[in-house]
Amino acid sequence: MPIRLTERRPEVSPDRLLSECVPPPRFAPVRFETYRPDPAEPSQAEALALLIERGNALAEPRRTTKPRRLGRLFRGRKSEPQTKPGIYLDGGFGVGKTHLLASLWHVSAGPKMYCTFVELTNLVGALGMREAVAALSQYRLICVDEFELDDPGDTMLISRLLGQLVDAGVQLAATSNTLPDKLGEGRFQASDFLREIQALAAHFDVRRIDGPDYRHRGLPVAPDPWTDDQVERAAANHPGASCDHFVDLYHHLGELHPSKYGAFLDGVETVGIVDIRELTDENIALRVVVLADRMYDRDIPLLASGVPLDHMFSPTMLKGGYRKKYLRALSRLIALAHTGMA
């Protein structure tokens, strides 16, 4: 019998959230040596060279005699022009930003932490700001993938958190599809929070990475969906496979905090979803985005029936403020669907 995700209600402790702040299984084996810059996109080789340079610096053991000088690691010597305490990789989908970020984490000496932006905000919510600052200040490097602000509360929360961590000497590295001074644009009145947004941008040296989405080079936009019966039979024949109706699944997701979506997939090796439909509710769509991210982190193949995946988000959504999130989710779900059909 397939697993029913709709029957799962995992409980996740703050300790587990913290202990899981490492690159997801998909990016556990990546290294700088396995990154293949596109010769037609010089910004990729430039970003690789920069991250290797910073990785070499972070590979050196931290000096325990003068911990407060850690904040100078990326700033150079006093006689040299100072750079910002963090590196921020901006670019489109599938150009290898996460590969580079995870590679930096792998070569760096600890203590170190790796998480997505959503996981970081969930961690602060679970620990509280004071405890989060105390716990995260112990890290030498914090890598934050998929950095994007969706509301004023997140803007103020993360601005305050990162400011205190930088003051404590923590080094930052982040990826996003949005430049730091454009975070929140299209979703709320960014001008009302300009001070917070500028404070965030001040922490980062921004590097742009250009190029097409490598996941779709030579691939169709989306595979043809299976029938409901095909998905159900395939899930029944795959050990560790789940199978749920799309509507039941997204209603169930609404009853769980997004910080639990990772544990939600514990032991699941294939996800089957029948009767995928076009989404028009923003809240439901954003929950599906988080689930897609956690599936992609764990490299879990997808078996799907219903509308083609590239029709799952309505045209209005794909033109709105969360457009980049939806496009990222589509990019990832289509890649997982191709794996499921292989």
Side-chain angles (χ1 to χ4, degrees):
M1 285 289 293
I3 298 167
R4 299 296 179 187
L5 294 178
T6 50
E7 296 175 359
R8 292 187 160 196
R9 294 183 179 276
E11 293 298 327
V12 183
S13 69
D15 286 343
R16 174 172 174 173
L17 291 176
L18 202 56
S19 68
E20 292 181 342
C21 289
V22 298
R26 172 180 284 268
F27 294 99
V30 304
R31 297 296 186 273
F32 289 131
E33 294 78 12
T34 61
Y35 182 76
R36 299 289 180 263
D38 186 340
E41 302 291 347
S43 62
Q44 295 185 13
E46 292 168 2
L48 174 61
L50 175 64
L51 268 292
I52 289 175
E53 178 183 352
R54 297 199 171 188
N56 289 338
L58 280 164
E60 297 294 327
R62 183 163 66 176
R63 297 180 181 179
T64 58
T65 54
K66 296 181 179 180
R68 296 296 296 175
R69 291 179 60 82
L70 289 175
R72 299 184 181 276
L73 182 61
F74 290 169
R75 299 175 187 151
R77 302 180 185 276
K78 289 184 178 180
S79 59
E80 299 172 348
Q82 291 189 350
T83 57
K84 296 180 180 181
I87 180 70
Y88 188 102
L89 302 178
D90 175 72
F93 308 101
V95 296
K97 301 186 303 295
T98 300
H99 186 137
L100 290 173
L101 186 71
S103 298
L104 177 66
W105 187 92
H106 284 303
V107 302
S108 300
K112 55 189 178 180
M113 172 181 167
Y114 183 106
C115 62
T116 65
F117 178 79
V118 170
E119 289 168 335
L120 181 61
T121 56
N122 289 339
L123 183 63
V124 176
L127 297 178
M129 177 61 74
R130 178 176 296 181
E131 292 300 319
V133 170
L136 303 187
S137 293
Q138 306 305 310
Y139 291 98
R140 184 185 191 189
L141 170 70
I142 294 180
C143 296
V144 184
D145 199 18
E146 302 162 13
F147 202 112
E148 189 168 340
L149 303 182
D150 300 325
D151 58 54
D154 280 347
T155 305
M156 299 171 71
L157 177 76
I158 298 303
S159 176
R160 180 184 170 195
L161 174 68
L162 295 188
Q164 293 187 58
L165 296 180
V166 167
D167 288 343
V170 178
Q171 301 305 309
L172 307 174
T175 72
S176 182
N177 304 306
T178 307
L179 292 170
D181 61 351
K182 301 296 183 183
L183 289 167
E185 202 169 73
R187 288 178 290 284
F188 59 88
Q189 292 297 318
S191 59
D192 293 343
F193 299 89
L194 187 58
R195 179 180 301 174
E196 286 78 11
I197 292 171
Q198 288 176 335
L200 282 171
H203 298 317
F204 296 102
D205 176 9
V206 180
R207 297 302 173 102
R208 175 77 185 179
I209 305 179
D210 298 306
D213 187 335
Y214 79 92
R215 290 183 290 266
H216 294 170
R217 292 172 192 166
L219 292 176
V221 173
D224 291 333
W226 286 5
T227 66
D228 291 357
D229 184 60
Q230 285 177 312
V231 172
E232 290 169 353
R233 283 190 286 109
N237 292 326
H238 280 71
S242 68
C243 189
D244 295 271
H245 191 280
F246 186 55
V247 175
D248 295 337
L249 181 59
Y250 70 60
H251 281 313
H252 187 62
L253 291 176
E255 299 173 357
L256 300 175
H257 191 275
S259 65
K260 300 180 179 180
Y261 288 11
F264 187 58
L265 296 169
D266 282 352
V268 177
E269 298 183 12
T270 303
V271 168
I273 303 176
V274 299
D275 195 19
I276 289 180
R277 305 176 183 184
E278 181 182 276
L279 295 173
T280 57
D281 185 298
E282 206 90 75
N283 292 321
I284 293 173
L286 290 173
R287 294 184 195 114
V288 172
V289 167
V290 177
L291 180 64
D293 287 341
R294 301 292 78 78
M295 288 175 58
Y296 186 75
D297 288 346
R298 290 157 177 77
D299 204 11
I300 300 176
L302 172 65
L303 308 173
S305 67
V307 301
L309 290 171
D310 53 3
H311 287 72
M312 185 170 63
F313 300 112
S314 71
T316 300
M317 286 182 171
L318 294 178
K319 295 178 182 177
Y322 296 106
R323 174 178 178 271
K324 291 181 178 179
K325 282 195 171 187
Y326 298 142
L327 291 177
R328 183 185 75 230
L330 289 179
S331 172
R332 293 180 167 187
L333 288 172
I334 288 170
L336 295 175
H338 281 292
T339 301
M341 292 183 169

